[in-house]
Amino acid sequence: MTQLSSLPAWQSLTQHYREISGLHMRDLFAEDPQRFERFSLRLDDLLFDYSKNRITVQTVSLLLDLARQAGLKEKIAAMFRGDKINVTENRAVLHVALRNRSNRPIYVDGRDVMPDVNRVLAQMRKFTESVRSGEWRGCTGKAITDVVNIGIGGSDLGPKMAVKALSPYAHPRLRVRFVSNVDEADLLNNLRDLDPETTLFCISSKTFTTQETMTNARSAREWFLTKIDDQSAIAKHFVAISTNAERVAEFGIDTANMFEFWDWVGGRYSLWSVIGLPIALAVGMDAFEALLAGAHKVDEHFRTQPFERNIPVIMGLLGIWYANFFGAESYAILPYDQYLEELPAHLQQVDMESNGKMVDIEGKPVDYSTGPIIFGQPGTNGQHAFYQLIHQSRKLIPCDFLAAAQSHHSLGRHHEILVSNFLAQPEALMRGKTFDEAKDELEAEGLTGKGLTELAAAKTFPGNKPSNSFLYRKLTPETLGTLIALYEHKIFTQGAIWNINSFDQMGVELGKRLARTILSELADDDRVFAHDASTNGLINYYKEIR
Ligand code: F6P
């Protein structure tokens, strides 16, 4: 047994699971009129309702014991203190410093990082204001109309999600788009309608070595130079966002046009840094700082609230309850908000790259499941795609439902219809429909005789499917910051309890290395024998038909 699975709270939860797994939430609601009040929390206008979970008061108490016994409090303090908790890379993990609106000093290696954070924020403000006002001119004197962010993973997903989410706040002249895939279709289709004289490329890469980003960046530069045959024009149309000044200079971007961040910012936690430049270009620096403020509010909540009132801690513990005791393997993120269309994809990276680990912090194999498979898409679309399996398969898929009480628009009853679905789905998942209820309904419709039993069986919903609901006033920059930070700290909570390093991503390395070898083998038409038979076969067939 590992350190975690031998904890008394883990043992008690294993036993407790046996006792309560048969309970139905319908009954738990019927028995306790206070269940909603008991199992919901507020953070300003955000309501977090976790009452539709397969928990009792005792479950929560045991989960809180687990958090305490696993040393969560000390681990939270270590992160905020700037300790090098990313042990494999010997780095601090300080995305919280990027949004530390209190300016409280935060030290890395004895040096307060806040002056650097504030300096880059000021640089961002100056630059974004000049682009947005039209003061920043392209090489032929025209204002910028299009921003193309070239980046991948954390240098793409976070900003892309936030730009989409905050599009009601976007500058009317500036269109911001994202190119990430090395598949040339991505770049070419995005370049097609662009005017190089009014386009600004942001080359976003923490390392400035990522194959996809550097390939796209080189091709974008080539495209630009074939249209505008003037090397000096690059300075007006290309900026770099990176921690690697040397590589930026090598690429040919003047380091005066470079925006810096630091190795203590993990890629998937970097939208708060200058990786968020496309967000600030789109919505302005005041809104970007409101986004930071929304996240900072959660940082303070996470750092100071007792675990029983701490939303990310509760979110994390519920995830552990299902992953490790119910054997749930996946988790659905279901925003009833078209503007949050990219949220599931962003959280997929944050969660799966952080907690998809099989050794603990000491390098020992874990004997418990870690990060879940994250998927999702906006409601109501998902209802007509994959909800069937959530409702009626044997799989247990915990869900998060998110919605704003106020829309940015007002078109007939659209928003009310959306919200009614946001409210109905968790209810349906929780309640289900018994065989007798289904049969009664069919009989009321006049159905009798043969086929009634089979039809009633097909229309039976087991229910007892857990979900959380997040309801907030409006999707403002501040609310968006709050939501993302809640998930980041949920993921932190889980990684801390699982005793894994949530801040490296060694698992993406092997494929990258093999692709480099294979790329060199694709340079000629010679047959290849160096790999396993399958890989050789695929390479050789590709060479034959390309
Ligand atoms: O997928 C691996 C990864 O290192 C991510 O963690 C990161 O967000 C992405 O690649 C992009 O890295 P970079 O910003 O250095 O180009």
Side-chain angles (χ1 to χ4, degrees):
M1 269 197 296
T2 51
Q3 215 178 321
L4 176 63
S5 52
S6 55
L7 289 178
W10 188 276
Q11 304 286 320
S12 308
L13 281 161
T14 308
Q15 175 60 29
H16 178 67
Y17 166 73
R18 285 188 208 112
E19 288 157 15
I20 77 143
S21 59
L23 300 183
H24 201 289
M25 281 190 276
R26 265 187 188 213
D27 302 321
L28 296 175
F29 272 99
E31 281 159 20
D32 180 6
Q34 296 300 308
R35 189 171 169 87
F36 169 72
E37 286 73 19
R38 200 181 304 289
F39 295 135
S40 60
L41 290 164
R42 292 274 297 268
L43 182 58
D44 292 346
D45 69 32
L46 179 129
L47 168 71
F48 167 57
D49 171 20
Y50 64 102
S51 58
K52 293 192 189 83
N53 278 290
R54 291 172 67 172
I55 52 171
T56 62
V57 170
Q58 199 195 351
T59 320
V60 175
S61 154
L62 290 173
L63 287 168
L64 293 170
D65 286 348
L66 180 69
R68 287 184 207 103
Q69 290 171 19
L72 178 60
K73 199 171 166 42
E74 173 48 31
K75 290 186 178 184
I76 295 172
M79 172 170 70
F80 280 89
R81 215 169 34 224
D83 288 8
K84 297 198 171 166
I85 59 171
N86 176 357
V87 287
T88 51
E89 296 177 318
N90 194 31
R91 288 177 184 163
V93 173
L94 278 179
H95 42 283
V96 294
L98 301 167
R99 56 212 194 193
N100 172 20
R101 308 307 291 160
S102 73
N103 260 320
R104 178 174 54 84
I106 298 183
Y107 297 94
V108 173
D109 291 328
R111 184 165 175 264
D112 180 11
V113 299
M114 288 317 296
D116 282 343
V117 169
N118 291 326
R119 175 177 50 80
V120 175
L121 281 172
Q123 188 194 4
M124 277 175 86
R125 178 172 286 278
K126 190 158 169 244
F127 178 72
T128 55
E129 282 177 356
S130 97
V131 172
R132 287 166 60 83
S133 68
E135 188 193 316
W136 178 282
R137 298 275 158 172
C139 58
T140 56
K142 294 183 184 162
I144 298 298
T145 57
D146 290 275
V147 175
V148 183
N149 187 74
I150 297 183
I152 197 163
S155 302
D156 167 68
L157 291 162
K160 181 161 68 185
M161 175 273 298
V163 166
K164 169 90 203 209
L166 300 180
S167 44
Y169 300 87
H171 191 289
R173 190 190 69 243
L174 280 181
R175 290 178 301 168
V176 181
R177 57 182 83 190
F178 292 83
V179 171
S180 53
N181 200 334
V182 75
D183 183 337
E184 59 218 13
D186 197 8
L187 182 66
L188 290 176
N189 285 326
N190 273 294
L191 291 180
R192 196 180 291 149
D193 61 339
L194 288 177
D195 176 355
E197 293 176 35
T198 57
T199 299
L200 177 74
F201 290 94
C202 301
I203 314 299
S204 299
S205 175
K206 180 174 168 180
T207 55
F208 234 70
T209 57
T210 304
Q211 187 189 44
E212 295 90 331
T213 300
M214 298 329 295
T215 306
N216 277 325
R218 276 191 294 270
S219 297
R221 186 179 53 188
E222 228 171 277
W223 171 85
F224 180 82
L225 288 174
T226 53
K227 310 245 171 202
I228 296 186
D229 188 17
D230 174 6
Q231 192 74 33
S232 70
I234 294 278
K236 290 278 165 209
H237 295 273
F238 282 76
V239 299
I241 299 167
S242 187
T243 58
N244 193 340
E246 214 174 296
R247 288 295 187 122
V248 169
E250 252 172 62
F251 179 83
I253 295 181
D254 189 340
T255 40
N257 284 342
M258 175 178 158
F259 295 87
E260 183 195 4
F261 65 114
W262 308 274
D263 73 356
W264 42 261
V265 182
R268 50 195 175 273
Y269 299 92
S270 62
L271 75 91
W272 318 101
S273 73
V274 71
I275 287 287
L277 192 72
I279 312 171
L281 282 165
V283 300
M285 207 51 199
D286 289 346
F288 184 75
E289 288 184 354
L291 179 84
L292 301 183
H296 178 61
K297 182 170 68 185
V298 177
D299 296 339
E300 289 304 284
H301 170 92
F302 185 52
R303 196 168 68 84
T304 59
Q305 282 301 300
F307 288 169
E308 62 274 17
R309 290 204 299 277
N310 196 313
I311 299 177
V313 169
I314 301 285
M315 289 165 72
L317 289 171
L318 290 167
I320 287 180
W321 178 226
Y322 297 118
N324 299 118
F325 300 92
F326 284 76
E329 297 213 315
S330 51
Y331 202 101
I333 307 286
L334 308 169
Y336 277 63
D337 193 329
Q338 194 58 29
Y339 289 120
L340 289 179
E341 190 179 9
E342 301 290 342
L343 183 69
H346 172 60
L347 293 180
Q348 193 171 60
Q349 189 206 14
V350 184
D351 204 328
M352 294 173 76
E353 202 165 75
S354 295
N355 286 346
K357 308 287 162 66
M358 61 190 288
V359 294
D360 71 12
I361 209 100
E362 280 110 33
K364 299 201 193 83
V366 298
D367 60 356
Y368 41 84
S369 176
T370 58
I373 301 160
I374 299 289
F375 74 103
Q377 58 164 289
T380 58
N381 293 4
Q383 290 176 203
H384 300 272
F386 53 80
Y387 280 35
Q388 166 64 38
L389 183 139
I390 304 180
H391 279 288
Q392 279 192 315
S393 80
R394 293 176 59 86
K395 293 185 171 61
L396 185 80
I397 304 179
C399 303
D400 281 356
F401 290 85
L402 301 97
Q406 297 175 11
S407 166
H408 286 290
H409 312 282
S410 108
L411 179 64
R413 298 200 73 196
H414 281 252
H415 192 64
E416 257 169 37
I417 295 172
L418 179 74
V419 172
S420 65
N421 279 279
F422 156 79
L423 297 168
Q425 288 295 329
E427 184 182 24
L429 287 167
M430 184 278 284
R431 282 187 59 79
K433 188 190 280 183
T434 64
F435 175 82
D436 288 342
E437 285 168 347
K439 194 158 160 272
D440 289 350
E441 269 179 27
L442 289 169
E443 280 169 351
E445 286 164 20
L447 221 83
T448 50
K450 205 170 166 290
L452 176 66
T453 307
E454 288 82 345
L455 197 52
K459 284 177 174 278
T460 301
F461 288 61
N464 219 12
K465 308 276 189 180
S467 68
N468 295 317
S469 296
F470 298 80
L471 182 59
Y472 41 90
R473 195 181 313 277
K474 194 168 186 171
L475 188 61
T476 61
E478 187 173 352
T479 304
L480 182 68
T482 295
L483 288 173
I484 304 165
L486 285 174
Y487 279 99
E488 288 179 349
H489 292 323
K490 166 201 170 165
I491 292 161
F492 179 92
T493 295
Q494 297 186 330
I497 292 175
W498 286 326
N499 199 29
I500 55 180
N501 180 0
S502 300
F503 300 102
D504 64 7
Q505 55 284 319
M506 305 300 180
V508 294
E509 292 306 322
L510 177 60
K512 275 193 202 170
R513 198 144 36 79
L514 293 178
R516 274 199 294 274
T517 308
I518 293 177
L519 181 63
S520 65
E521 291 166 348
L522 299 183
D524 58 39
D525 288 332
D526 297 350
R527 287 180 73 74
V528 163
F529 303 98
H531 306 264
D532 59 88
S534 164
T535 311
N536 288 337
L538 286 163
I539 295 174
N540 293 330
Y541 186 58
Y542 168 73
K543 290 189 177 198
E544 228 176 284
I545 63 164
R546 67 181 163 183

